[in-house]
């Protein structure tokens, strides 16, 4: 993410906590994230990983796209490829591109995901229980675990599921994987 987007995200995360009248200790207990990490995150001293951001989205009942849309300028109806927001979690090897124009009031969105070989991202819970996801693999191979079932997907394959529990996205390699993720709120 760009520095401006990181700063706006940090501010929005602090606002969400304050709107609920939670202390950092309250949020730490709810999210399972240390108080010091939350404090540094809200001050913009660190950028969140995908897993950390997912935990916070779960606590706040938002998808990651909705949270990111809340800190982006008001979108147009068309977002050209060069203007699509890209967020990278370098530590996990995950890149996320917001393909569809973001809008907090809409129920569906399209995201492009990329994982480098060996990338393995586990999420403890969905940001919104019952979230419907469609994963269409464009290039490479990905293993997706959703609610305890492992699915190996290759280029052209598409998996649809509702997410109620843990999930995991893993790129077994040897090449990176690129996939389209369609997310539909329940």
């Amino acid at each position: 993410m760009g520095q401006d987007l990181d700063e706006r995200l940090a501010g929005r995360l602090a606002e969400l906590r304050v709107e609920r009248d939670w202390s950092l200790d309250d949020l730490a207990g709810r999210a399972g994230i240390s108080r010091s990490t939350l404090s540094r995150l809200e001050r913009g001293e660190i950028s969140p990983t995908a897993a950390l951001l997912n935990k916070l989205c779960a606590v706040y009942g938002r998808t990651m796209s909705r949270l990111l849309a809340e800190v982006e300028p008001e979108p147009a109806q068309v977002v050209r490829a060069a203007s699509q927001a890209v967020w990278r979690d370098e530590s996990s090897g995950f890149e996320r591109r917001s393909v569809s124009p973001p809008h907090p009031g809409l129920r569906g969105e399209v995201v492009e995901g990329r994982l480098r070989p060996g990338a393995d991202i586990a999420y403890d819970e969905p940001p919104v229980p019952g979230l419907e996801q469609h994963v269409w693999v464009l290039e490479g191979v990905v293993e997706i675990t959703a609610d305890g079932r492992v699915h190996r997907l290759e280029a052209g394959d598409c998996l649809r599921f509702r997410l109620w529990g843990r999930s995991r996205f893993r790129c077994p390699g040897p090449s990176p994987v690129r996939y389209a993720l369609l997310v539909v709120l329940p």
Side-chain angles (χ1 to χ4, degrees):
M1 275 193 286
Q3 185 173 355
D4 289 345
L5 188 56
D6 274 341
E7 290 172 8
R8 289 193 306 268
L9 180 59
R12 182 61 183 140
L13 290 170
E15 287 172 2
L16 287 168
R17 180 180 56 79
V18 170
E19 285 171 8
R20 287 158 177 77
D21 199 28
W22 293 343
S23 68
L24 282 171
D25 289 326
D26 292 335
L27 180 56
R30 291 170 190 269
I33 301 169
S34 76
R35 182 188 190 286
S36 62
T37 297
L38 291 170
S39 177
R40 293 182 66 211
L41 181 63
E42 287 185 4
R43 291 194 312 264
E45 294 175 3
I46 60 171
S47 292
T49 64
L52 186 134
L53 201 53
N54 189 70
K55 286 182 180 185
L56 291 171
C57 285
V59 168
Y60 292 129
R62 285 168 162 67
T63 63
M64 195 179 301
S65 293
R66 178 176 174 198
L67 177 63
L68 293 174
E70 291 173 2
V71 297
E72 293 172 350
E74 182 64 32
Q77 288 196 323
V78 174
V79 178
R80 303 291 176 206
S83 300
Q84 292 168 354
V86 177
W87 180 74
R88 291 176 182 86
D89 178 359
E90 296 297 337
S91 64
S92 69
F94 175 53
E95 179 180 291
R96 178 187 194 287
R97 175 182 299 275
S98 294
V99 176
S100 55
H103 190 285
L106 298 178
R107 302 184 62 77
E109 61 187 294
V110 179
V111 172
E112 177 188 34
R114 293 176 184 256
L115 294 171
R116 67 178 175 234
D120 191 345
I121 303 172
Y123 300 104
D124 292 333
E125 60 185 327
V128 177
L131 190 67
E132 182 177 348
Q133 295 188 3
H134 302 249
V135 181
W136 179 29
V137 179
L138 304 171
E139 299 171 11
V141 175
V142 66
E143 291 177 358
I144 298 174
T145 304
D147 296 323
R149 293 190 60 203
V150 179
H151 306 273
R152 180 182 170 92
L153 305 173
E154 298 178 3
D157 294 345
C158 185
L159 170 67
R160 180 188 64 177
F161 59 95
R162 284 197 181 271
L163 190 58
W164 298 99
R166 297 173 157 253
S167 63
R168 178 180 175 199
F169 285 65
R170 187 176 88 79
C171 178
S175 302
V177 64
R178 184 171 72 95
Y179 56 90
L181 173 64
L182 288 78
V183 179
V184 182
L185 290 170

